[in-house]
Amino acid sequence: MRAGKVLPALVLLVLAASGGAPSPASAEHGGAELGSLLDCNRPVTPPRCVSVGDDDRHHVYIDASVPADLAESVRRAMREAYEPTALRMIEDDQITDRTDVLVFAADWGQNGAAGWVNCPPDAPQGTNARGDRWCRHQELHFNLNARYFAFFADDDSRTHLACHEIGHSVGLRHWGNPPRTDGPAAATCMHADTPDGPTTLHQFDRDHIDAYYARPLRLAPRCHSEL
């Protein structure tokens, strides 16, 4: 996410591409559809892309580098924004082959981003039946540089950012700025450039998640050979 107008586009958001099975997009009610977005190996800094999860259980590991208040905001976003959807949010106390998201925090300097998500080249990944890239061991980074203080100033701001970045890790994309999504302006953490924005999802977002992750999802096998 960007701080004000000065920073370049922040987090790369999650995107839409669902091909095949019906999705909430078929109702044409707006909001951000789900899907993978852009090549994860683009020469951009910080490296970022949007991927989907490989099933309806989204495992999140919070690294010790994440300050306690920020870690609690991640848990709050998991609980309040994503648990009400078809996803089951699970916090892992260690990294396993089922972990979907690894959350880290550090001072990355003034690189234009308060947070971002990326699927590393060596992460377990593949393409599902919908044609979207799924990725486990996605890296979610929070930038603790003072330039982005507004995104971490209080619990609601931290929860907004956590909700936004987790959204990228399950396939949601930005509302309101490129890549633009059709639909009315509404309260959702998937708006970009809003350090004090909403702490949860719009019903449109939840509908898209529910449709995308409804069983059976028919994803490609879990194996490293698909890298």
Side-chain angles (χ1 to χ4, degrees):
M1 305 192 99
R2 300 183 305 175
K5 298 180 179 177
V6 180
L7 304 178
L10 168 61
V11 175
L12 198 49
L13 193 151
V14 177
L15 138 36
S18 99
S23 77
S26 63
E28 297 183 353
H29 64 192
E33 300 175 45
L34 271 68
S36 57
L37 175 64
L38 304 180
D39 184 345
C40 296
N41 298 317
R42 296 173 306 127
V44 295
T45 302
R48 56 201 188 273
C49 60
V50 171
S51 307
V52 298
D54 64 344
D55 58 23
D56 61 358
R57 296 189 173 209
H58 210 56
H59 292 254
V60 178
Y61 169 78
I62 304 175
D63 185 70
S65 63
V66 181
D69 55 359
L70 181 54
E72 188 51 42
S73 292
V74 172
R75 296 184 184 103
R76 178 186 169 193
M78 292 169 62
R79 180 176 65 251
E80 297 181 2
Y82 293 93
E83 275 290 349
T85 73
L87 290 168
R88 180 180 175 190
M89 304 299 294
I90 302 167
E91 181 179 354
D92 290 345
D93 58 9
Q94 61 183 353
I95 300 171
T96 74
D97 62 355
R98 299 186 67 86
T99 304
D100 295 288
V101 184
L102 315 179
V103 184
F104 302 99
D107 183 343
W108 292 93
Q110 297 186 26
N111 63 4
W116 63 92
V117 176
N118 186 50
C119 177
D122 59 349
Q125 59 189 279
T127 303
N128 65 22
R130 297 175 186 264
D132 292 319
R133 174 186 57 249
W134 59 263
C135 181
R136 279 177 285 125
H137 295 186
Q138 296 181 58
E139 294 184 357
L140 191 168
H141 292 277
F142 291 116
N143 189 351
L144 302 181
N145 185 269
R147 178 69 179 82
Y148 311 107
F149 171 78
F151 289 92
F152 305 96
D154 52 59
D155 181 51
D156 282 354
S157 295
R158 292 187 295 270
T159 303
H160 165 73
L161 181 59
C163 176
H164 186 103
E165 299 309 332
I166 292 171
H168 290 324
S169 77
V170 303
L172 288 174
R173 65 177 173 178
H174 290 157
W175 288 44
N177 73 330
R180 180 175 290 278
T181 304
D182 293 335
T188 172
C189 68
M190 296 317 299
H191 282 301
D193 310 333
T194 52
D196 57 351
T199 61
T200 191
L201 301 168
H202 188 280
Q203 186 61 48
F204 291 170
D205 302 312
R206 292 190 287 269
D207 287 348
H208 283 295
I209 289 172
D210 290 347
Y212 195 95
Y213 288 98
R215 293 178 181 274
L217 194 50
R218 295 188 189 139
L219 295 171
R222 296 171 175 269
C223 62
H224 289 261
S225 62
E226 294 180 285
L227 296 178

